[in-house]
Amino acid sequence: MAQETAQQPPHPPATPARALLPSILPAVVIGVMASLLLLGVSEAAEALQDVLWGDLPDALGVGRYSVLWMLVMLTATGIAVGLVVWKVPGHAGPDPATVGLDAPVLPVSVLPGLVLATGLMLAGGPSLGPENPIIAVNVGLAFWLGHRLAPRAPGQLWPMLAEAATIGALFGTPVAAALLLSEALATRQTRGALWDNVFAPLVAAAAGALTVDLVSEPSFDLGLPPFGHPGWADLLAVVVVASAAAVLGMAAVYVFPYVHGVFRRLRHPMVALPVGGFLLGLLGALGGHLTLFKGLEEVGELAADPDGWSAGEFATMTVVKLAALVVAAACGFRGGRIFPAVFVGSAFGLAAHALVPEVHPAVGVAAGVLGMLLAITRQGWVSLFTAAVLVASPSIIALLCIASLPAWLLVTGRPQMQLRPDGTSVR
């Protein structure tokens, strides 16, 4: 017994409080800075969206979401973003198909173009969210400022603080950042206890979340009919819907490198992005205006009337939005995939409810989002967290944890919706 004890690795030494205290102030500064940049880009994009999709078509006497206007606006957005990628210094960063939430540190000269391309994309209607490019911008700014103001600090500290702050701001709570950090740290060699390593990032995430909560009061609760005590039928429904959504999401993942290869052969951003925009306009005409934009506000419209569409209409929106996500991410628009995937999963879950009324809409939505996010992001904790907060029913958490197991078996070890620079899939 003594020999076995001697062979056990020693516990990592705890970090003294005096070593953690100096990280609080920079973490708070980065948290506030990251959230204000996210809010600024989002507010500017929403104002431009109101002009492009409201004031301008009204002045021209064209229907706001007519087929003609969707084709014009999505193609024009492709041209505008293509000009930024072509002409602005830094070309708005690397190919977005090769970048995940763990953003590379970009030179400061690249960041203005990336912000501009992101704002134009958000306003113009492509099916992507702000998360990936905003994280990249905040990481670049934090690294640049931190390296100059505190050159002795570890270089990897600044990207971690910026990523945590942005995730906290995006979701309005530091819990999402804590879950993401726990997954990230599991693949890294770290010193000290877990809470020593996440202390400063959690401060940044809390500062970012609190800033957004004070300024804009975000809420992810969709206001679906309340879900009561779960039964055996609910367990069956959540497992089936989550697994089916994961399979559908994996179909998009497998198609993604081929679609990206087609756009890559177009070579020039002033060809690939306008063509991508035109295709997105056609998809919007097929699926309706709810399948445009990042999808978070549009999910609220679906949830406000879960019985307002037929199973076929929900299924059409599901397939169209997923196809739009693949096209937008493959052709070069700068944006993230979490928020449009939430729309896809929600529409899929509501289609299940419309097809089988015994499937509670809250169960359908949460399970659909869980399975779709597992396939698209491969982030287990974030997928569970997002699915749970959309429904805001504590009793559904146990069901989601069970449903995540077969859904994870369907996606783990398989290609991800992220490519290497040579165009091959990351596993």
Side-chain angles (χ1 to χ4, degrees), residues 59-86:
L60 296 174
V62 180
R64 292 187 175 187
Y65 296 107
S66 63
V67 173
L68 172 62
W69 194 248
M70 283 192 279
L71 289 172
V72 168
M73 279 309 309
L74 269 300
T75 305
T77 301
I79 294 172
V81 176
L83 282 170
V84 174
V85 175
W86 180 27

Side-chain angles (χ1 to χ4, degrees), residues 1-12:
M1 181 67 70
Q3 184 178 2
E4 292 180 0
T5 304
Q7 292 176 350
Q8 292 178 354
H11 292 289

Side-chain angles (χ1 to χ4, degrees), residues 250-272:
M250 284 307 302
V253 172
Y254 277 107
V255 168
F256 184 63
Y258 299 101
V259 178
H260 180 265
V262 171
F263 283 107
R264 195 173 188 175
R265 282 192 285 272
L266 297 179
R267 297 184 180 276
H268 202 284
M270 283 303 295
V271 179

Side-chain angles (χ1 to χ4, degrees), residues 74 95-97 126-128 252 255-256 258-260 262-263 272-283 319-334 337 417:
L74 269 300
D95 182 351
S127 294
L128 293 172
V255 168
F256 184 63
Y258 299 101
V259 178
H260 180 265
V262 171
F263 283 107
L273 282 158
V275 170
F278 180 77
L279 292 177
L280 291 174
L282 292 177
L283 288 170
V319 174
V320 167
K321 186 69 172 182
L322 187 57
L325 167 57
V326 171
V327 171
C331 73
F333 283 110
R334 272 51 180 170
R337 298 153 203 164
M417 203 174 196

Side-chain angles (χ1 to χ4, degrees), residues 338 341-342 368-379 382-383 386:
I338 291 179
V342 167
V369 169
L370 172 64
M372 189 57 60
L373 283 178
L374 283 174
I376 299 297
T377 70
R378 222 55 58 89
Q379 301 282 346
V382 170
S383 301
T386 306

Side-chain angles (χ1 to χ4, degrees), residues 91-165:
H91 307 290
D95 182 351
T98 65
V99 179
L101 288 177
D102 190 9
V105 178
L106 300 176
V108 176
S109 59
V110 177
L111 305 184
L114 182 54
V115 170
L116 180 58
T118 304
L120 291 171
M121 181 279 299
L122 291 172
S127 294
L128 293 172
E131 57 273 17
N132 289 29
I134 296 300
I135 289 175
V137 172
N138 282 329
V139 164
L141 285 175
F143 185 84
W144 181 76
L145 289 172
H147 186 67
R148 278 154 181 76
L149 298 179
R152 295 183 179 180
Q156 68 271 21
L157 172 66
W158 309 113
M160 187 177 293
L161 293 180
E163 289 180 13

